[in-house]
Amino acid sequence: MNAPHPPKVAGIDPTVPTPAHTVAPASPASGPGPAPGTASVPAPHPPAPGTVLQDRLAAWVSDLTTLHELTERLTRTGALDPALHELLGAGASLVGAHRGLVVLDPGDGLGPRTTLGLGLGRADLGLIETVPHCALPYDTGGGAEIVHADLLAEDGLDPRHREVAARLGYAASYSLPLATGPAGRLGAAVWFYDEPAEPHERQRHLAGLYVRHATEHLARLLEVERTRACMATVTEELLPSRLPRVAGVQLAARHRTGPRGGGDWYDALPLPDAALGLSVGSVTGSGPSAVAAMGRLRASLRAYAVMEGEDPVAVLSDLELLLRLTEPARSATALFAFCEPALRKITLAGAGHSPPLLIGERRTEFAETSVSAPLGMLACWEAPSVEIQAEAGETVLLYTDGLLHRTGDPMDRAFARLHAAAAGVPRAVRHDPGAVADHVLRTVLPDGPDAADSDEDVVLLAARFE
């Protein structure tokens, strides 16, 4: 009697071959017994159909468990590079290989295009790319799998491919396309074997299921990556492409946009009578709406600075009125400084913004500014301005709160960390405002502004007075 067929589970074909039946040996009563002097050897019993079914079910459960663990690990990746590395490692374990590479080459031509290796260096990847495109061991066109079970013995193999395989020491390869109906064509993954080999049917089936899931995950990450790049580009276009040259002062700026796009800005604007206007600020929120609001606010501040820049309080008052009338649901912090480089004199006003930092040979201190509310928080904003007299060689550092928030510390400790970083600027680089900003950035955020786990923008604007 045939064993019952279990239902199909998660795309794995559960067809169980019918076990071969063995005829039971005849009983002594139905035939002659063994010859005299010989021992009776019982015939082997066939495996019970239930045992075969249990073994097959155990194999299915094992496969499903493996797929679940690998896809869970892949789903936890939040960026393209970690996801591609995870794909390579998991695929290698499924097909029994130790080396491989993945090529990301989206079919829509919008990029990004990248190649990552597992157990292969940059030089190795470059060597593989010297193989003619039609003879590569993978197909980024979204075709079927490509199997080279024995490259050195295969007839019709491209001589360059054979040469590269010999130099890199692989004798077989197995490739799968990164392509699905919803995701389209994204590229291909290929794994290499040191000896002639190829994955068996069960390995191919599992690898195919995993790669299909991975392709859909990569498509989502690709869309996020493109959106972030687009937001970063728009933000950079809304900020100064270059800083002006004004006699008596050197300028440098550093800016990092959060992953969702933020509303932090900086600006440096030449004003009449050889004066200079400096501003930094931050609009609440993130994403496209915050970036657009930042662009509108910065453009308006430039206009007010040209008209009445010598009075920073009037500039911010006009900006507050505009924000209240045009962006009633949004608030912003801002700081505007009217600089007279010839006199090394700075007149500034702030609206809920952190105070500037003066960095010099004999002092490193925060400027004494009045406490005021952010723009758009009160019915009418106004705060007194303050004057700062800089000394020759001193640098005034303006920054947004994102620098402090990305430390993850309470604000008092974040301010202390910023002060310590500024005080520790090496004397050899104090003449360069860009080097001063870089030192502060590296010291306050030792893991780098891009590695910090925060959605905050980071802005630093340094002005060194001669």
Side-chain angles (χ1 to χ4, degrees):
M1 181 177 182
N2 292 342
H5 293 286
K8 187 172 182 179
V9 181
I12 299 178
D13 186 4
T15 303
V16 181
T18 304
H21 291 284
T22 305
V23 179
S27 63
S30 61
T38 62
S40 175
V41 179
H45 293 284
T51 303
V52 175
L53 179 61
Q54 289 178 359
D55 292 344
R56 186 59 61 90
L57 284 173
W60 297 337
V61 171
S62 176
D63 290 346
L64 288 173
T65 302
T66 299
L67 279 177
H68 175 73
E69 292 176 352
L70 294 178
T71 53
E72 280 289 310
R73 287 172 50 182
L74 179 68
T75 304
R76 287 194 292 268
T77 59
L80 275 177
D81 277 4
L84 292 173
H85 283 294
E86 180 64 30
L87 164 65
L88 272 179
S93 67
L94 289 175
V95 301
H98 299 289
R99 291 185 293 172
L101 66 88
V102 59
V103 177
L104 188 66
D105 187 14
D108 56 15
L110 299 179
R113 189 183 188 281
T114 185
T115 302
L116 295 176
L118 173 68
L120 298 171
R122 288 183 177 273
D124 300 332
L125 297 177
L127 192 61
I128 292 175
E129 290 182 351
T130 64
V131 177
H133 190 271
C134 61
L136 284 169
Y138 56 85
D139 178 18
T140 57
E145 65 179 13
I146 298 178
V147 182
H148 293 291
D150 190 348
L151 284 165
L152 301 183
E154 185 175 322
D155 295 332
L157 189 68
D158 186 272
R160 181 57 183 170
H161 188 184
R162 195 187 308 275
E163 178 185 351
V164 169
R167 290 184 61 180
L168 296 182
Y170 66 85
S173 66
Y174 177 66
S175 172
L176 285 173
L178 302 179
T180 63
R185 174 176 63 83
L186 299 185
V190 57
W191 293 275
F192 300 110
Y193 299 89
D194 297 337
E195 302 292 338
E198 63 178 297
H200 53 69
E201 183 178 356
R202 178 181 171 190
Q203 290 176 316
R204 292 186 187 183
H205 186 59
L206 291 176
L209 290 173
Y210 177 79
V211 168
R212 282 197 293 273
H213 173 83
T215 302
E216 295 175 357
H217 181 64
L218 289 174
R220 292 189 290 269
L221 293 180
L222 182 63
E223 188 63 29
V224 172
E225 191 81 9
R226 288 174 174 174
T227 302
R228 289 178 178 176
C230 181
M231 290 301 304
T233 301
V234 171
T235 302
E236 294 297 333
E237 290 296 324
L238 291 174
L239 295 175
S241 58
R242 64 182 64 184
L243 296 173
R245 293 185 178 183
V246 178
V249 65
Q250 295 176 286
L251 300 174
R254 299 293 183 266
H255 176 254
R256 297 293 186 276
T257 303
R260 292 187 295 176
D264 287 16
W265 84 81
Y266 67 93
D267 206 353
L269 179 66
L271 297 175
D273 301 324
L276 175 68
L278 300 177
S279 71
V280 292
S282 177
V283 175
T284 55
S286 60
S289 63
V291 173
M294 176 270 288
R296 292 190 294 267
L297 214 60
R298 173 180 168 268
S300 302
L301 190 148
R302 290 173 69 90
Y304 298 144
V306 171
M307 292 186 295
E308 46 194 4
E310 68 280 357
D311 185 356
V313 173
V315 171
L316 293 187
S317 295
D318 292 342
L319 193 65
E320 194 274 339
L321 178 60
L322 177 73
L323 183 68
R324 190 150 43 89
L325 293 175
T326 61
E327 309 273 353
R330 197 181 297 275
S331 64
T333 65
L335 187 146
F336 178 75
F338 178 77
C339 305
E340 300 172 84
L343 303 176
R344 294 193 292 274
K345 179 182 175 182
I346 307 166
T347 306
L348 62 88
H353 208 81
S354 300
L357 187 58
L358 278 74
I359 306 171
E361 294 289 342
R362 293 183 291 181
R363 63 173 176 173
T364 299
E365 60 188 27
F366 291 101
E368 293 291 339
T369 58
S370 57
V371 178
S372 63
L375 303 175
M377 297 293 289
L378 301 178
C380 182
W381 176 90
E382 187 169 343
S385 61
V386 297
E387 291 187 0
I388 300 173
Q389 186 64 50
E391 299 180 4
E394 285 190 331
T395 297
V396 178
L397 185 67
L398 310 181
Y399 53 93
T400 58
D401 291 344
L403 176 66
L404 305 174
H405 293 158
R406 285 206 181 200
T407 64
D409 294 336
M411 291 303 288
D412 56 341
R413 293 181 61 184
F415 275 114
R417 179 185 291 193
L418 175 59
H419 184 276
V425 175
R427 180 172 299 181
V429 302
R430 287 179 180 260
H431 66 281
D432 182 358
V436 171
D438 288 336
H439 175 85
V440 170
L441 200 57
R442 287 194 306 268
T443 307
V444 174
L445 304 176
D447 295 332
D450 297 324
D453 185 16
S454 174
D455 292 336
E456 300 279 349
D457 287 8
V458 175
V459 166
L460 287 88
L461 179 61
R464 179 183 183 273
F465 291 86
E466 299 173 351

